[in-house]
């Protein structure tokens, strides 16, 4: 297995209904994860990008949250429709998608 250039963590944390922190799972993170895996498959980018689910990343309010390393860029309120843009700009060209980035006060 080759070492990917970028690793994507998709918060898939679940919590009980009415939990005060909510969760990324309740906000649709599974659909985002599936969209990312689908795009990875479509582009056959396995040598460049790794994608995995994660537990809570911290700032639950802004979920679904997606964290990309090595740049440590946190994307918030990510929807499946954003996935192609994240791949085009960030995962393939190294340019983070500004409009989805968490504000400095958050991350
Ligand atoms: S539940 Fe996703 S960041 Fe906390």
């Amino acid at each position: 297995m080759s070492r990917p250039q970028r690793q994507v963590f998709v918060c898939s944390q679940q919590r009980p209904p009415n939990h005060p922190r909510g969760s990324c799972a309740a906000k649709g993170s599974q659909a985002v994860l599936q969209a990312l895996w689908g795009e990875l498959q479509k582009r056959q980018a396995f040598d460049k990008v790794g994608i995995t689910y994660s537990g809570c990343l911290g700032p639950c309010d802004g979920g679904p949250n997606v964290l990309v390393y090595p740049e440590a860029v946190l994307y918030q309120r990510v929807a499946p429709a954003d996935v192609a843009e994240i791949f085009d700009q960030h995962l393939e060209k190294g340019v983070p998608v500004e409009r989805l980035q968490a504000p400095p006060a958050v991350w």
Side-chain angles (χ1 to χ4, degrees):
M1 178 182 170
S2 61
R3 183 192 308 176
Q5 296 165 359
R6 294 196 165 79
Q7 185 70 40
V8 181
F9 297 94
V10 181
C11 176
S12 300
Q13 182 74 49
Q14 299 182 22
R15 292 198 174 94
N18 303 321
H19 189 285
R21 292 183 69 181
S23 71
C24 287
K27 295 181 179 106
S29 64
Q30 190 61 33
V32 174
L33 184 58
Q34 292 298 332
L36 280 161
W37 276 335
E39 202 67 28
L40 182 69
Q41 178 81 27
K42 192 170 103 184
R43 296 177 191 230
Q44 291 292 297
F46 303 105
D47 57 332
K48 294 187 212 157
V49 180
I51 297 170
T52 189
Y53 48 81
S54 80
C56 180
L57 297 168
C60 314
D61 282 354
N65 288 314
V66 174
L67 183 57
V68 181
Y69 278 98
E71 293 89 358
V73 167
L74 181 70
Y75 293 124
Q76 295 201 294
R77 297 179 180 81
V78 179
D82 299 320
V83 163
E85 187 179 357
I86 292 171
F87 255 95
D88 286 341
Q89 280 196 36
H90 190 168
L91 303 180
E92 293 194 339
K93 295 180 188 154
V95 181
V97 180
E98 240 177 81
R99 68 178 183 87
L100 295 171
Q101 283 188 61
V106 171
W107 185 260

